[in-house]
Amino acid sequence: MSERSLTVIILAAGEGSRMRSALPKVLHPLAGRPLIGHVLAQALALAPERLAVVVGPHMDEVRALIAAEAPDARLFTQAERRGTAHAVLAARPVLEAAAAGEGELLVLYGDTPLVRVETLQRLRAALDDGAHVGVLGFEAPDPAGYGRLILAGPMQDGQATLLAIREARDASEEERAIRLCNSGVMAFRTAHLLSLLDAIGDENAAGEFYLTDAVALARAQGLDCTAIACAEEEVLGVNARTDLAAAEAIWQARARRQAMEAGVTLTAPETVFLSFDTELGTDVTIEPHVVFGPGVRVKAGACIRAFSHLEEAEVGEGATVGPYARLRPGSRVGPGARVGNFVEIKNGTLAEGAKVNHLTYIGDAEIGRDANIGAGTITCNYDGVFKHKTVIEEGAFIGSNSALVAPVTIGKGAYV
Ligand code: UD1
Ligand code: CA
């Protein structure tokens, strides 16, 4: 890969009004992580020298999230939404710094979360091959409002010389028939970038400064531009809730396939929902209809049985959870331990070999090694004001239907 220093700018100033939401669009979750979190992760995976995000005014929550996930990212506000070129220029200080050396700029969209890092590398490789501008394109069965890529000739090995990008609103009937579309993801050599961007005008149907005009302007200066093809599903943009659901389906299908390739059995993969950070060890079995919220780690050989729901939980080697179990934040199920049907655990630890098999609530509790908790046991952890802890030591036996009013300790080997 190139020696050029990389700058990434993420555009996220759009309001996302079609989401009809009080929440800014880029904060809507995909696989348990905000859309822009996915895009930041892609950018960070490329280890850029500079990372900038352009947001709209009044986007304090978005700013806070970016500060938390990418503390080195610089934030710029685009006060008025005047087009994609105008948005990129909102980060002018970063562009100037990037242009000072032999660099490259990658433009990503905050609402386009599924681009694979390998695809971004392929786009960057087009610059290595001599292009000054690289554009990621895709074949759309219904190109509707997308910008159309006008090529010099047919694609070869997924790439072609690009002459111009025409926005749908400004396209002739003939151009509108083109099905190869602009994803919006673009790469630029920084050498001529500022002069190109400053030359872009707003004389078009939308009255906006189009970043896409950089292509024809570059060509006019004798600079090469290349289109790189990728799958439509990688560049799906989220504009409405239906797009969000479509993106979720694509993300889940990918994650399930990756899990199976890594040695996890999914009996009915299409019914299992994973989170962006779910960790599943080898020979883990996931039965149908299991939902993983964020922060779950399942160690080798464990089995999560049907209809279980887990979040911020750890399941040890060879343990069994479910069917119909709920592991809430702070659940730690030790190696070989068993959590059976209609059991809820919250902030509770089961040591190795402990059994909680039926109809039980374990909250703010520590259960010792090989202890056996009978059906219908409840740790009464909350007195209406404060939470208290229950400790059940190694090998203790709790008989059915016990209500253990915390704080309470059941000693080693004791029988209730
Ligand atoms: C843009 C492209 C189009 C491409 C399509 C892919 C231009 C002129 N057109 O069109 O060729 O097919 O994306 O989805 O670039 N944004 C800002 N500030 C602005 C305008 C946009 O931050 O002033 C951000 C938006 O938040 C969004 C992205 O840029 O993340 C794209 O903007 P959008 O208005 O959706 O562009 P399109 O008209 O769809
Ligand atoms: Ca769009």
Side-chain angles (χ1 to χ4, degrees):
M1 207 22 83
S2 79
E3 297 296 302
R4 290 182 297 276
S5 80
L6 176 66
T7 301
V8 179
I9 296 186
I10 300 174
L11 303 187
E15 282 154 23
S17 51
R18 285 207 276 147
M19 294 295 278
R20 300 190 185 284
S21 176
L23 190 68
K25 173 163 81 173
V26 295
L27 293 186
H28 279 260
L30 171 72
R33 177 185 228 177
L35 291 173
I36 196 160
H38 289 266
V39 182
L40 288 168
Q42 288 156 11
L44 294 174
L46 298 171
E49 196 143 314
R50 296 171 205 86
L51 173 58
V53 187
V54 178
V55 298
H58 319 298
M59 286 195 184
D60 293 343
E61 289 166 277
V62 178
R63 289 169 166 275
L65 181 104
I66 294 164
E69 297 223 349
D72 293 334
R74 290 188 59 184
L75 284 154
F76 294 91
T77 304
Q78 187 193 19
E80 249 187 301
R81 214 175 162 285
R82 301 194 59 197
T84 42
H86 185 260
V88 169
L89 282 167
R92 187 181 284 274
V94 165
L95 294 172
E96 280 166 357
E102 172 72 353
E104 69 188 66
L105 169 72
L106 186 65
V107 176
L108 304 176
Y109 286 177
D111 61 0
T112 304
L114 297 169
V115 190
R116 290 181 311 138
V117 172
E118 304 87 276
T119 304
L120 297 176
Q121 297 290 27
R122 231 167 17 95
L123 179 64
R124 297 180 64 198
L127 303 191
D128 293 339
D129 294 344
H132 274 259
V133 184
V135 175
L136 199 57
F138 64 101
E139 285 279 346
D142 173 19
Y146 287 117
R148 307 299 205 271
L149 300 190
I150 299 174
L151 304 181
M155 283 263 177
Q156 272 178 342
D157 299 328
Q159 87 180 60
T161 298
L162 180 64
L163 300 178
I165 305 179
R166 192 84 64 239
E167 289 308 299
R169 292 173 69 172
D170 303 297
S172 66
E173 204 167 323
E174 198 184 328
E175 288 166 341
R176 247 194 289 261
I178 296 172
R179 294 216 317 233
L180 187 67
C181 296
N182 172 28
S183 69
V185 175
M186 297 174 77
F188 301 85
R189 285 179 182 246
T190 51
H192 306 269
L193 183 62
L194 270 168
S195 68
L196 284 178
L197 293 180
D198 284 329
I200 292 173
D202 62 354
E203 304 82 32
N204 52 55
E208 286 188 0
F209 295 88
Y210 290 160
L211 183 59
T212 46
D213 282 353
V215 172
L217 288 167
R219 293 283 307 178
Q221 293 186 21
L223 303 172
D224 284 341
C225 302
T226 299
I228 297 286
C230 75
E232 183 180 15
E233 63 164 44
E234 281 193 54
V235 288
L236 175 94
V238 174
N239 296 310
R241 308 254 185 177
T242 47
D243 301 323
L244 187 60
E248 183 78 35
I250 293 166
W251 192 95
Q252 292 293 340
R254 268 191 202 170
R256 292 165 187 144
R257 200 179 322 116
Q258 276 168 14
M260 291 186 280
E261 282 167 6
V264 175
T265 293
L266 301 180
T267 318
E270 64 287 357
T271 67
V272 172
F273 289 82
L274 303 162
S275 266
F276 73 100
D277 61 351
T278 305
E279 287 179 38
L280 305 174
T282 46
D283 288 316
V284 162
T285 295
I286 313 291
E287 290 188 355
H289 299 285
V290 172
V291 175
F292 292 92
V296 178
R297 181 198 273 185
V298 182
K299 301 266 184 76
C303 179
I304 311 298
R305 304 204 54 199
F307 297 99
S308 293
H309 189 284
L310 299 83
E311 54 192 324
E312 283 175 48
E314 187 170 305
V315 178
E317 255 179 67
T320 305
V321 171
Y324 299 98
R326 178 163 185 214
L327 300 188
R328 291 174 52 203
S331 299
R332 299 278 170 274
V333 177
R338 291 170 155 275
V339 176
N341 40 264
F342 307 108
V343 171
E344 171 180 345
I345 301 180
K346 188 222 75 180
N347 190 29
T349 302
L350 267 58
E352 183 167 353
K355 294 192 188 71
V356 186
N357 273 332
H358 335 267
L359 301 159
T360 290
Y361 173 64
I362 300 291
D364 301 306
E366 260 172 49
I367 316 290
R369 203 182 161 106
D370 296 323
N372 190 323
I373 312 298
T377 298
I378 292 173
T379 56
C380 309
N381 57 328
Y382 186 49
D383 60 14
V385 183
F386 299 108
K387 298 255 171 89
H388 303 280
K389 191 167 174 182
T390 299
V391 177
I392 297 171
E393 292 180 353
E394 190 177 325
F397 182 99
I398 310 296
S400 291
N401 216 19
S402 301
L404 305 170
V405 182
V408 62
T409 296
I410 311 295
K412 190 170 166 180
Y415 180 100
V416 174

